[in-house]
């Protein structure tokens, strides 16, 4: 779902193609607890995004490790914080424009 939304955001010119690479999205979602995944598609998106924004705002996001268990998700050599913020803001806009 997040990759499909990313592709749509790229197609609409909201974000650049390199803003949120597939592997970084996978690694980001890998760190979301299972309790945020149940429910219908829209509610799941809202729940997961809410958790990710909370983690980002509380600086806990910067402690996330990639799915490989080695590299930090946010660093100069992986996903830079500015791109994470841009992607989360674009996702929040999609959320705000989505009806339940």
């Amino acid at each position: 779902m997040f990759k499909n939304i990313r592709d749509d955001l790229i197609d609409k010119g909201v974000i650049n193609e390199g803003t949120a690479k597939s592997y970084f999205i996978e690694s980001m979602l890998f760190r979301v607890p299972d309790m945020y995944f149940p429910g219908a598609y829209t509610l799941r998106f809202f729940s997961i995004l809410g958790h990710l924004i909370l983690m980002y705002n509380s600086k806990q996001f910067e402690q996330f490790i990639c799915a490989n268990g080695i590299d930090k998700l946010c660093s100069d050599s992986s996903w830079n914080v500015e791109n994470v913020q841009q992607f989360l803001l674009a996702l929040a806009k999609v959320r705000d424009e989505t009806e339940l």
Side-chain angles (χ1 to χ4, degrees):
M1 126 179 50
F2 282 82
K3 289 181 188 181
N4 288 338
I5 295 170
R6 184 258 337 248
D7 292 345
D8 190 49
L9 291 169
I10 291 169
D11 290 345
K12 291 179 179 176
V14 176
I15 62 172
N16 294 323
E17 195 165 330
T19 301
K21 295 182 179 179
S22 181
Y23 176 70
F24 297 146
I25 294 172
E26 290 171 18
S27 292
M28 174 183 71
L29 295 173
F30 184 75
R31 300 295 166 205
V32 175
D34 292 344
M35 66 186 216
Y36 293 97
F37 285 87
Y41 180 84
T42 303
L43 293 175
R44 186 178 319 148
F45 172 69
F46 284 23
S47 179
I48 293 168
L49 181 58
H51 175 73
L52 292 171
I53 290 171
L54 178 66
M55 294 294 99
Y56 180 84
N57 287 340
S58 65
K59 304 290 184 197
Q60 294 178 45
F61 197 96
E62 295 174 15
Q63 303 307 313
F64 282 10
I65 303 295
C66 289
N68 67 14
I70 300 169
D71 301 315
K72 289 185 114 182
L73 180 59
C74 296
S75 73
D76 293 336
S77 61
S78 59
W79 202 6
N80 72 46
V81 176
E82 292 80 21
N83 283 346
V84 173
Q85 181 182 31
Q86 184 181 3
F87 184 55
L88 291 176
L89 287 171
L91 291 173
K93 185 175 180 185
V94 169
R95 176 201 60 200
D96 295 344
E97 294 171 352
T98 302
E99 293 182 28
L100 285 175

